[in-house]
Amino acid sequence: MNFNNLALDLHEIEKEYPENPLDYFKEKKICLFKACLEKYFPGVRWGFQDLLEELQLESSTCLNQSCCSGTFFQRNLITRAQFSAINERNLNEMNQQADIAFFSCNGCYNSLLRGRDFLKNPEVRVKTQEILNSISKKVDGERYPGIYNILENPKLKLVHDLDFLYLIRNDVLNTLKFDLGNLKVAIHYGCHYLNLSRDKKTLDSYFGSKTKLEGLIELFGGIPVDYQERESCCGWGASQLLINPREALKITYNKLKSAENVGADFLLMPCPTCLYTLSKPEYRDNIEKWFGEKLEIPTIHLNELIAILRGCEEERCISLTRKTPRLEEIFEIITQQ
Amino acid sequence: MADHTELDWNWAFYKELVEDVDENRNIIQCISCGKCVGDCPAAKVSTFNSRKIIQKVLRGDKSVLKDSDIWHCYLCERCKRVCPKENINIPLLIINLRNESFKRGYGPRYNDLRKYVEMSERYLTKGTVLEEPLGENLPQERIDELNTICDFARIKYVFKASKEKQKSKRKKS
């Protein structure tokens, strides 16, 4: 059985479509993986959906897809085989309706790749298939045949939104109404994007994907600023923020403070979980209470930023229910050009 | 670490862990360089020290299962990235050690897991960890499938424990 990683081969696309990589995605069926935390930041999904529509790409979500369950695996509440079975079930469902699944969340992306990686272990593979068989016995087999099996050679490929957006950056640029007007942007990649071990094989892949956000910011007319805690964790830490909040918020504090210190206008990231941690008002209040400093640097997801730059309505791209400090100020600076 | 010699090494515990999770075999390659600790977010704010944990495992020191340290890992995988060896998977080792700790009754008690009660409940009743998903709810049939997958998992015990606690609260009131 082939358990090669399901990540979309971006180098291959660049080679095949050197003029315009976007052509590869035309005619492909795209499924947007639903990250739980998009509930709090709907602009992360809507902003991306709107962009795809403008680029004339067909996209949908998968009704039968569940949460990736990474949070439960990381806290030992489910086993490796159960985790792999949940992910394989989601892959089965998406594989029925799409060619490519897009991910706005580092955690979900990492979960699906990791669940697949666990299947290389024969014991986990057998247990996973047993679990999937136990579902098949209970469900209506006519819904579609072969449900649910470990997929040997799924047509479905997985890609992180950031990797896709960077690949088609010139097409994205053409959709923008505004530029960043030299705003200074501190970049946060998030651990599960930055530390993906599958990138360790060659120097090119190890370093290559770690400057994509900087590249996009420059292209959009902003200035990426380096700061000491650029590569540090947001503080979420597989729910450490819930279990050991004071320790975890110290990490969040260091990150935000470090970005403020270099004069960044906002902090940009490609993950809603990091966004939640770095922007939640309750966490900012606790930072002030425990570390004696009020930090007000705004935080934005890449998909939301592109929506703002495309001139999307404020309510749709950054949703005003979100009380991130000074976010409206950034929105106004960009859109009043 | 200097107060130990190679004579202290005892492979029994290591073999147990490898039997459970084969990938743990690779921790034997650890050269104790400490890069994992130097770059670790948890090490900056707690006593978590992945190098010491690996040393304890290789010395057969099972006290590591009682240490609260193993519960402070952020599972950020940075150690895996900076490790000069190719296949040492410290986050997976930590998850395995936490499992062993749970099995022996040293793991977090119900109170430590209370933050997970709501998330577990939502996952097993709605298929998401938040109140509602953005968009449509997962159909009931699919939720039943998740419940089948999670049979006998701790997530169900956490969920059940919350139900029992709610019942006893109701009775008292």
Coordinates of all heavy atoms in Angstrom, one line a residue, chain A residues 96-155:
Chain A
Q96 N -14.8 11.7 -2.2 CA -15.9 11.4 -3.1 C -16.3 12.6 -3.9 O -16.9 12.5 -4.9 CB -17.2 11.1 -2.2 CG -17.0 9.8 -1.4 CD -17.2 8.6 -2.3 OE1 -17.9 8.6 -3.3 NE2 -16.5 7.5 -2.0
Q97 N -16.0 13.8 -3.4 CA -16.6 15.0 -4.0 C -15.5 16.0 -4.5 O -15.9 16.9 -5.2 CB -17.5 15.8 -3.1 CG -16.8 16.5 -1.9 CD -17.9 17.3 -1.1 OE1 -18.8 16.7 -0.5 NE2 -17.7 18.6 -1.1
A98 N -14.2 15.8 -4.2 CA -13.2 16.8 -4.7 C -11.9 16.2 -5.1 O -11.6 15.0 -4.8 CB -13.0 17.7 -3.5
D99 N -11.1 17.0 -5.8 CA -9.8 16.6 -6.2 C -8.7 17.2 -5.2 O -7.7 16.6 -5.0 CB -9.5 17.2 -7.6 CG -10.5 16.7 -8.6 OD1 -10.7 15.5 -8.7 OD2 -11.1 17.6 -9.3
I100 N -9.1 18.4 -4.7 CA -8.1 19.0 -3.8 C -8.8 19.6 -2.6 O -9.9 20.2 -2.7 CB -7.4 20.2 -4.5 CG1 -6.8 19.8 -5.8 CG2 -6.3 20.8 -3.6 CD1 -6.3 21.0 -6.7
A101 N -8.2 19.3 -1.4 CA -8.8 19.9 -0.2 C -7.9 21.0 0.3 O -6.7 20.9 0.4 CB -8.9 18.8 0.9
F102 N -8.5 22.2 0.6 CA -7.7 23.4 1.1 C -7.9 23.5 2.6 O -9.0 23.3 3.1 CB -8.3 24.6 0.4 CG -7.8 24.8 -1.0 CD1 -8.1 23.8 -2.0 CD2 -7.1 25.9 -1.4 CE1 -7.7 24.0 -3.3 CE2 -6.7 26.1 -2.7 CZ -7.0 25.1 -3.7
F103 N -6.8 24.0 3.2 CA -6.8 24.1 4.7 C -6.4 25.5 5.1 O -5.4 26.0 4.8 CB -5.8 23.1 5.3 CG -6.3 21.7 5.1 CD1 -6.1 21.0 3.9 CD2 -6.9 21.0 6.2 CE1 -6.5 19.7 3.8 CE2 -7.4 19.7 6.0 CZ -7.1 19.0 4.8
S104 N -7.3 26.1 6.0 CA -7.0 27.4 6.5 C -6.4 27.3 7.9 O -6.0 28.3 8.4 CB -8.3 28.2 6.6 OG -9.1 27.7 7.6
C105 N -6.3 26.1 8.4 CA -5.8 25.9 9.8 C -4.6 25.0 9.8 O -4.7 23.9 9.3 CB -6.9 25.4 10.6 SG -6.4 24.9 12.3
N106 N -3.5 25.4 10.4 CA -2.3 24.6 10.5 C -2.6 23.3 11.2 O -2.1 22.2 10.9 CB -1.2 25.3 11.4 CG -0.7 26.5 10.7 OD1 -1.0 26.8 9.6 ND2 0.2 27.3 11.4
G107 N -3.5 23.3 12.3 CA -3.8 22.2 13.1 C -4.5 21.1 12.3 O -4.1 19.9 12.3
C108 N -5.5 21.5 11.5 CA -6.2 20.5 10.7 C -5.3 19.9 9.6 O -5.3 18.7 9.4 CB -7.4 21.2 10.0 SG -8.6 22.0 11.1
Y109 N -4.5 20.8 9.0 CA -3.6 20.3 7.9 C -2.7 19.3 8.5 O -2.5 18.2 7.9 CB -2.9 21.5 7.4 CG -2.0 21.3 6.2 CD1 -2.5 20.7 5.1 CD2 -0.7 21.7 6.2 CE1 -1.6 20.4 4.0 CE2 0.2 21.5 5.1 CZ -0.3 20.9 4.0 OH 0.5 20.7 2.9
N110 N -2.1 19.6 9.6 CA -1.1 18.7 10.2 C -1.8 17.4 10.7 O -1.3 16.3 10.5 CB -0.5 19.4 11.4 CG 0.8 18.7 11.9 OD1 1.5 18.1 11.1 ND2 1.1 18.8 13.2
S111 N -3.1 17.5 11.2 CA -3.8 16.3 11.6 C -4.0 15.3 10.5 O -3.7 14.1 10.6 CB -5.2 16.7 12.2 OG -5.1 17.2 13.4
L112 N -4.4 15.8 9.3 CA -4.7 14.9 8.2 C -3.4 14.3 7.7 O -3.4 13.1 7.4 CB -5.5 15.6 7.1 CG -7.0 15.3 7.4 CD1 -7.6 16.5 8.2 CD2 -7.7 15.1 6.1
L113 N -2.3 15.1 7.7 CA -1.1 14.5 7.2 C -0.5 13.5 8.2 O 0.0 12.5 7.9 CB 0.0 15.6 6.9 CG -0.4 16.5 5.8 CD1 0.7 17.6 5.6 CD2 -0.4 15.7 4.5
R114 N -0.7 13.8 9.5 CA -0.1 13.0 10.6 C -0.9 11.7 10.7 O -0.4 10.6 10.8 CB -0.1 13.7 11.9 CG 0.5 13.0 13.0 CD 1.0 13.8 14.1 NE 0.0 14.7 14.7 CZ 0.1 15.4 15.7 NH1 1.3 15.4 16.4 NH2 -0.8 16.2 16.2
G115 N -2.3 11.8 10.6 CA -3.1 10.6 10.6 C -2.7 9.6 9.5 O -2.7 8.4 9.7
R116 N -2.4 10.2 8.4 CA -2.0 9.4 7.3 C -0.7 8.7 7.5 O -0.4 7.6 7.2 CB -2.0 10.3 6.1 CG -1.9 9.7 4.7 CD -3.2 9.0 4.3 NE -3.0 8.3 3.1 CZ -3.8 7.4 2.6 NH1 -4.9 7.1 3.2 NH2 -3.5 6.8 1.5
D117 N 0.2 9.5 8.1 CA 1.6 9.1 8.4 C 1.5 7.9 9.4 O 2.3 7.0 9.3 CB 2.3 10.2 9.0 CG 3.8 10.1 8.8 OD1 4.2 9.7 7.6 OD2 4.6 10.5 9.7
F118 N 0.6 7.9 10.3 CA 0.5 6.8 11.3 C 0.2 5.5 10.6 O 0.5 4.4 11.2 CB -0.6 7.1 12.4 CG -0.2 8.2 13.4 CD1 -1.2 8.9 14.1 CD2 1.1 8.5 13.6 CE1 -0.8 9.8 15.0 CE2 1.5 9.4 14.6 CZ 0.5 10.1 15.2
L119 N -0.4 5.6 9.5 CA -0.8 4.3 8.8 C 0.4 3.5 8.2 O 0.2 2.4 7.8 CB -1.8 4.6 7.7 CG -3.2 5.2 8.1 CD1 -4.0 5.5 6.9 CD2 -3.9 4.2 9.0
K120 N 1.5 4.2 8.2 CA 2.7 3.5 7.8 C 3.1 2.4 8.8 O 3.8 1.4 8.5 CB 3.9 4.4 7.6 CG 3.8 5.4 6.5 CD 4.9 6.3 6.4 CE 4.7 7.3 5.3 NZ 5.5 8.5 5.4
N121 N 2.6 2.5 10.0 CA 2.8 1.5 11.0 C 1.8 0.4 10.9 O 0.6 0.7 11.0 CB 2.7 2.2 12.4 CG 2.9 1.2 13.6 OD1 2.3 0.1 13.6 ND2 3.7 1.6 14.5
P122 N 2.2 -0.9 10.6 CA 1.3 -1.9 10.2 C 0.2 -2.2 11.3 O -0.9 -2.4 11.0 CB 2.2 -3.2 10.1 CG 3.6 -2.6 9.9 CD 3.6 -1.3 10.5
E123 N 0.7 -2.1 12.6 CA -0.3 -2.3 13.7 C -1.4 -1.3 13.7 O -2.6 -1.6 13.8 CB 0.5 -2.3 15.0 CG -0.2 -3.1 16.1 CD 0.6 -3.0 17.4 OE1 1.8 -3.0 17.4 OE2 -0.1 -2.9 18.4
V124 N -1.0 0.0 13.6 CA -2.0 1.1 13.6 C -2.9 0.9 12.4 O -4.1 1.1 12.5 CB -1.3 2.5 13.5 CG1 -2.3 3.6 13.4 CG2 -0.4 2.7 14.8
R125 N -2.3 0.5 11.2 CA -3.1 0.4 10.0 C -4.2 -0.7 10.2 O -5.3 -0.5 9.8 CB -2.2 0.0 8.9 CG -2.8 0.1 7.5 CD -1.8 0.2 6.4 NE -1.0 -1.0 6.2 CZ 0.3 -1.1 6.3 NH1 1.0 0.0 6.6 NH2 0.9 -2.3 6.1
V126 N -3.8 -1.8 10.8 CA -4.8 -2.9 11.0 C -5.9 -2.4 11.9 O -7.1 -2.6 11.6 CB -4.1 -4.2 11.5 CG1 -5.1 -5.2 12.0 CG2 -3.2 -4.8 10.5
K127 N -5.5 -1.8 13.0 CA -6.5 -1.3 14.0 C -7.4 -0.3 13.3 O -8.6 -0.3 13.6 CB -5.8 -0.7 15.2 CG -5.3 -1.8 16.2 CD -4.8 -1.1 17.4 CE -4.1 -2.1 18.3 NZ -3.3 -1.4 19.4
T128 N -6.8 0.6 12.5 CA -7.6 1.6 11.9 C -8.7 1.0 11.0 O -9.9 1.4 11.0 CB -6.7 2.6 11.1 OG1 -5.8 3.1 12.0 CG2 -7.5 3.7 10.4
Q129 N -8.2 0.0 10.2 CA -9.2 -0.6 9.3 C -10.3 -1.4 10.0 O -11.5 -1.3 9.6 CB -8.4 -1.6 8.3 CG -9.3 -2.1 7.2 CD -10.0 -1.0 6.3 OE1 -9.3 -0.2 5.7 NE2 -11.3 -1.0 6.3
E130 N -9.9 -2.0 11.2 CA -10.9 -2.7 12.0 C -12.0 -1.7 12.5 O -13.2 -1.9 12.4 CB -10.3 -3.3 13.2 CG -9.6 -4.6 12.9 CD -8.8 -5.2 14.0 OE1 -8.9 -4.6 15.1 OE2 -8.1 -6.2 13.8
I131 N -11.5 -0.5 12.9 CA -12.5 0.5 13.3 C -13.4 1.0 12.2 O -14.6 1.1 12.3 CB -11.7 1.8 13.9 CG1 -10.9 1.3 15.2 CG2 -12.6 2.9 14.2 CD1 -10.0 2.4 15.7
L132 N -12.7 1.2 11.0 CA -13.5 1.6 9.9 C -14.6 0.5 9.5 O -15.7 0.8 9.1 CB -12.6 1.9 8.7 CG -11.7 3.2 8.9 CD1 -10.8 3.3 7.7 CD2 -12.6 4.4 9.0
N133 N -14.1 -0.7 9.6 CA -15.1 -1.8 9.3 C -16.3 -1.8 10.3 O -17.4 -2.1 9.9 CB -14.4 -3.2 9.4 CG -13.3 -3.4 8.3 OD1 -13.4 -2.7 7.4 ND2 -12.5 -4.4 8.5
S134 N -16.0 -1.5 11.5 CA -17.1 -1.5 12.5 C -18.1 -0.4 12.1 O -19.3 -0.5 12.5 CB -16.6 -1.3 13.9 OG -16.0 0.0 14.1
I135 N -17.7 0.7 11.5 CA -18.6 1.7 11.0 C -19.4 1.1 9.9 O -20.6 1.3 9.8 CB -17.9 3.0 10.5 CG1 -17.0 3.6 11.5 CG2 -19.0 4.0 10.1 CD1 -16.3 4.8 11.0
S136 N -18.7 0.5 8.9 CA -19.3 0.1 7.7 C -20.5 -0.9 8.0 O -21.5 -0.9 7.3 CB -18.3 -0.7 6.8 OG -17.3 0.2 6.5
K137 N -20.3 -1.7 9.1 CA -21.4 -2.6 9.4 C -22.6 -1.9 9.8 O -23.7 -2.4 9.6 CB -20.9 -3.5 10.7 CG -20.0 -4.7 10.2 CD -19.7 -5.4 11.5 CE -18.4 -6.3 11.2 NZ -17.7 -6.7 12.4
K138 N -22.5 -0.7 10.4 CA -23.6 0.0 10.9 C -24.3 0.9 9.9 O -25.4 1.3 10.0 CB -23.2 0.8 12.1 CG -22.9 0.0 13.3 CD -22.7 0.8 14.6 CE -22.2 -0.1 15.7 NZ -21.8 0.7 16.9
V139 N -23.5 1.3 8.8 CA -24.1 2.3 7.9 C -24.7 1.7 6.7 O -24.5 0.5 6.4 CB -23.1 3.4 7.4 CG1 -22.5 4.2 8.6 CG2 -22.0 2.7 6.6
D140 N -25.5 2.4 6.0 CA -26.2 2.0 4.8 C -25.1 1.8 3.7 O -24.6 2.8 3.2 CB -27.3 3.0 4.4 CG -27.9 2.7 3.1 OD1 -27.6 1.6 2.6 OD2 -28.6 3.5 2.6
G141 N -24.8 0.6 3.3 CA -23.8 0.4 2.4 C -24.1 0.9 1.0 O -23.2 1.0 0.1
E142 N -25.4 1.3 0.8 CA -25.7 1.8 -0.6 C -25.3 3.2 -0.8 O -25.4 3.7 -1.9 CB -27.2 1.6 -0.8 CG -27.5 0.1 -1.1 CD -29.0 -0.1 -1.3 OE1 -29.7 0.9 -1.5 OE2 -29.4 -1.3 -1.2
R143 N -25.0 3.9 0.3 CA -24.7 5.3 0.2 C -23.6 5.5 -0.9 O -23.7 6.3 -1.7 CB -24.3 5.9 1.5 CG -24.4 7.4 1.5 CD -24.5 8.0 2.9 NE -23.3 7.7 3.6 CZ -22.3 8.6 3.7 NH1 -22.4 9.8 3.1 NH2 -21.2 8.4 4.4
Y144 N -22.6 4.9 -0.7 CA -21.6 4.7 -1.8 C -20.7 3.5 -1.4 O -20.4 3.2 -0.2 CB -20.8 5.9 -2.1 CG -20.3 6.8 -1.0 CD1 -19.3 6.5 -0.1 CD2 -21.0 8.0 -0.7 CE1 -18.9 7.3 0.9 CE2 -20.6 8.8 0.3 CZ -19.6 8.5 1.1 OH -19.2 9.3 2.1
P145 N -20.3 2.7 -2.4 CA -19.6 1.5 -2.2 C -18.2 1.8 -1.6 O -17.6 2.8 -1.8 CB -19.4 0.9 -3.5 CG -19.6 2.0 -4.5 CD -20.4 3.0 -3.9
G146 N -17.7 0.8 -0.8 CA -16.3 0.9 -0.3 C -16.2 1.8 0.9 O -15.1 2.0 1.4
I147 N -17.3 2.3 1.4 CA -17.2 3.2 2.6 C -17.0 2.3 3.8 O -17.7 1.3 4.0 CB -18.4 4.1 2.7 CG1 -18.3 4.9 3.9 CG2 -19.7 3.3 2.8 CD1 -19.4 6.0 4.0
Y148 N -16.2 2.5 4.7 CA -15.0 3.4 4.7 C -13.8 2.5 4.7 O -13.7 1.6 5.6 CB -15.0 4.2 6.0 CG -16.1 5.3 6.1 CD1 -17.1 5.1 7.0 CD2 -16.0 6.4 5.3 CE1 -18.1 6.1 7.1 CE2 -17.0 7.4 5.4 CZ -18.0 7.2 6.3 OH -19.0 8.2 6.4
N149 N -12.9 2.7 3.8 CA -11.7 1.9 3.8 C -10.5 2.9 3.8 O -10.7 4.0 3.4 CB -11.6 1.1 2.5 CG -12.5 -0.2 2.6 OD1 -12.5 -0.8 3.6 ND2 -13.2 -0.5 1.5
I150 N -9.4 2.3 4.2 CA -8.2 3.2 4.1 C -7.9 3.4 2.7 O -7.9 2.4 1.9 CB -7.0 2.4 4.8 CG1 -7.2 2.3 6.3 CG2 -5.7 3.1 4.5 CD1 -6.2 1.5 7.1
L151 N -7.8 4.6 2.3 CA -7.7 4.9 0.8 C -6.2 4.6 0.4 O -5.3 5.1 0.9 CB -8.0 6.3 0.6 CG -9.4 6.8 0.8 CD1 -9.5 8.3 0.8 CD2 -10.3 6.1 -0.2
E152 N -6.2 3.7 -0.6 CA -4.8 3.3 -1.1 C -4.2 4.3 -2.0 O -3.1 4.7 -1.7 CB -4.9 1.9 -1.9 CG -3.6 1.3 -2.0 CD -3.7 -0.1 -2.5 OE1 -4.8 -0.7 -2.4 OE2 -2.7 -0.6 -3.0
N153 N -4.9 4.8 -2.9 CA -4.4 5.8 -3.8 C -5.4 6.9 -4.0 O -6.0 7.0 -5.1 CB -4.0 5.2 -5.2 CG -2.6 4.7 -5.1 OD1 -1.7 5.4 -4.7 ND2 -2.4 3.5 -5.6
P154 N -5.7 7.7 -3.0 CA -6.8 8.7 -3.2 C -6.5 9.7 -4.3 O -5.3 10.1 -4.4 CB -6.9 9.3 -1.8 CG -5.6 9.0 -1.1 CD -5.1 7.8 -1.7
K155 N -7.5 10.1 -5.0 CA -7.2 11.2 -6.0 C -7.0 12.5 -5.2 O -6.4 13.4 -5.7 CB -8.3 11.3 -7.0 CG -9.6 11.7 -6.4 CD -10.6 12.0 -7.5 CE -12.0 12.2 -6.8 NZ -12.9 13.0 -7.0

